[in-house]
Amino acid sequence: MKITHADVIVSCPGRNFVTLKIRTDSGPDGIGDATLNGRELAVASYLKDHICPLLIGRDPSRIEDIWQYLYKGAYWRRGPVTVSAIAAVDMALWDIKGKQAGLPLYQLLGGASREGVIVYTHANGRDIDETLDQYAAKKEAGYKAIRVQCGIPGMKSVYGVSKSKDAAYEPATKGWSEEQCWSSEKYLNYVPKLFEAVRERFGFDEHLLHDVHHRLTPIEAARLGKALEPYSLFWLEDPTPAEDQAAFRLIRQHTTTPLAVGEVFNSIWDCKQLIEEQLIDYIRTTVTHAGGITHLRRIADLAALYQVRTGSHGPSDLSPVCMGAALHFDLWVPNFGMQEYMGYSEQMLEVFPHAWRFDNGFMHPGDAPGLGVEIDEKLAARYPYEPAYLPVARLEDGTLCSW
Ligand code: CS2
Ligand code: MG
């Protein structure tokens, strides 16, 4: 069997997704997700101009060799653009192998390690009351784990909070970046009140999570972790930017609140120290942004040695193809922790027919061969790319800071 075509499909059924489709001469097709929010066309070009031509004529069964060829063979290493492109190829090749074997991907990985994959959803609101209402609705929908974020008095818009009540949270804006204002002081003084209110009203039955989104300094993060200890979080996410992995030592000295990091990581090297020094509890690398199933498996195996569990990023800006791949991975990976699931609009789900399903707080990838997700190319073509960007954040005096 040989690869005959590798096509990149960029479509915007509500938001932009980049999908790679690999076709073969005598076997099935496979697809992979290469979406990098706000920088979609850079990955599309990397694939179209530099990777797709190298795939034609290759044997799609040689997944490991093709991964090594694309990674080591480029000479230039790591980075979200390169690694997302390689990940899309990797996913598509696993899809082909699964379809050829007539087996769902999780069976190729070693079979199910659990009955279902616990997922966490988001509850957010412009104030604490609105957040509590959404929490109640998500609990009612069956979720056993809920991430809570809310508006902060004195700040116009805050990460993770929808612009209007009950609207799906969508950080990217069409056309140009929105500028938001940030104050760590206001946030730190307010956010423990949110958790106090949630636990007071709903008790301790659900797992609670929170995303700081890389905003705090290490000592501020330590203060927050300590302040939230009475509310027993499942995890506190991205408390400080993680380029400096050693910075997490300081947070760890002060708090027992579990930490989750890694949604912006692209390789095992980005999390090696965090894992080996047990500076985090959950590693949030994804199939798309961290090199596909082939590389994610390597990260998870390293993490398992240090009792770090997986907690893959699962926003709606990774396509339903990535969600499918993630669920196969999660069902198999021995050191699984939790999967994020933000959900998708009807329009997005129509473009990507899928076998995965949600039931009472747990998900399952389904038993269709391969990834169990397809792309309706005709429908996708009806939604052309629309430029969209993530926000940027500034302190109250105008200084640019991490969004
Ligand atoms: C995030 C995302 O889901 C999360 O935890 O931090 O909302 C993230 O901001 C987006 O994926 C960026 O594209
Ligand atoms: Mg996050």
Side-chain angles (χ1 to χ4, degrees), residues 32 44 46 50-51 61 67 73 77 91 156 171 174-175 183 217 220 234 246-247 268 289 292 331-332 336 372:
Y46 193 92
H50 302 292
I51 286 192
S61 72
W67 196 99
R77 300 197 177 195
M91 265 180 259
K156 225 175 120 211
K174 301 251 166 89
S183 157
T217 64
E220 288 168 343
F234 187 86
I268 199 164
H289 298 151
L331 196 66
W332 158 73
F336 170 70

Side-chain angles (χ1 to χ4, degrees), residues 132-211:
L132 296 181
D133 287 351
Q134 245 201 44
Y135 189 102
K138 301 288 168 131
K139 184 178 160 117
E140 179 64 27
Y143 286 98
K144 313 284 179 257
I146 304 180
R147 181 188 104 165
V148 292
Q149 312 282 141
C150 89
I152 306 292
M155 278 195 257
K156 225 175 120 211
S157 44
V158 176
Y159 164 76
V161 179
S162 311
K163 296 222 160 51
S164 56
K165 193 171 164 31
D166 295 330
Y169 174 64
E170 170 53 72
T173 42
K174 301 251 166 89
W176 198 239
S177 285
E178 181 196 341
E179 294 215 353
Q180 298 181 349
C181 180
W182 176 253
S183 157
S184 293
E185 293 75 20
K186 288 185 173 134
Y187 167 79
L188 282 170
N189 289 333
Y190 193 73
V191 88
K193 297 187 180 60
L194 168 67
F195 285 88
E196 191 187 350
V198 172
R199 287 303 196 201
E200 205 178 281
R201 175 148 159 212
F202 298 100
F204 282 72
D205 284 354
E206 289 82 38
H207 297 298
L208 269 191
L209 302 89
H210 182 68
D211 192 350

Side-chain angles (χ1 to χ4, degrees), residues 325-346:
L327 291 171
H328 285 283
F329 183 80
D330 297 337
L331 196 66
W332 158 73
V333 71
N335 49 324
F336 170 70
M338 178 86 78
Q339 170 70 48
E340 182 180 18
Y341 176 57
M342 260 179 89
Y344 296 96
S345 69
E346 281 309 310

Side-chain angles (χ1 to χ4, degrees), residues 186-258:
K186 288 185 173 134
Y187 167 79
L188 282 170
N189 289 333
Y190 193 73
V191 88
K193 297 187 180 60
L194 168 67
F195 285 88
E196 191 187 350
V198 172
R199 287 303 196 201
E200 205 178 281
R201 175 148 159 212
F202 298 100
F204 282 72
D205 284 354
E206 289 82 38
H207 297 298
L208 269 191
L209 302 89
H210 182 68
D211 192 350
V212 183
H213 219 255
H214 328 268
R215 303 290 169 92
L216 301 175
T217 64
I219 198 69
E220 288 168 343
R223 175 181 148 197
L224 180 63
K226 213 166 157 177
L228 297 181
E229 277 171 24
Y231 313 113
S232 304
L233 265 63
F234 187 86
W235 78 43
L236 183 67
E237 178 180 335
D238 287 332
T240 196
E243 284 102 325
D244 176 16
Q245 298 180 42
F248 282 74
R249 288 180 187 150
L250 193 146
I251 307 175
R252 278 301 219 210
Q253 282 161 19
H254 295 280
T255 181
T256 55
T257 293

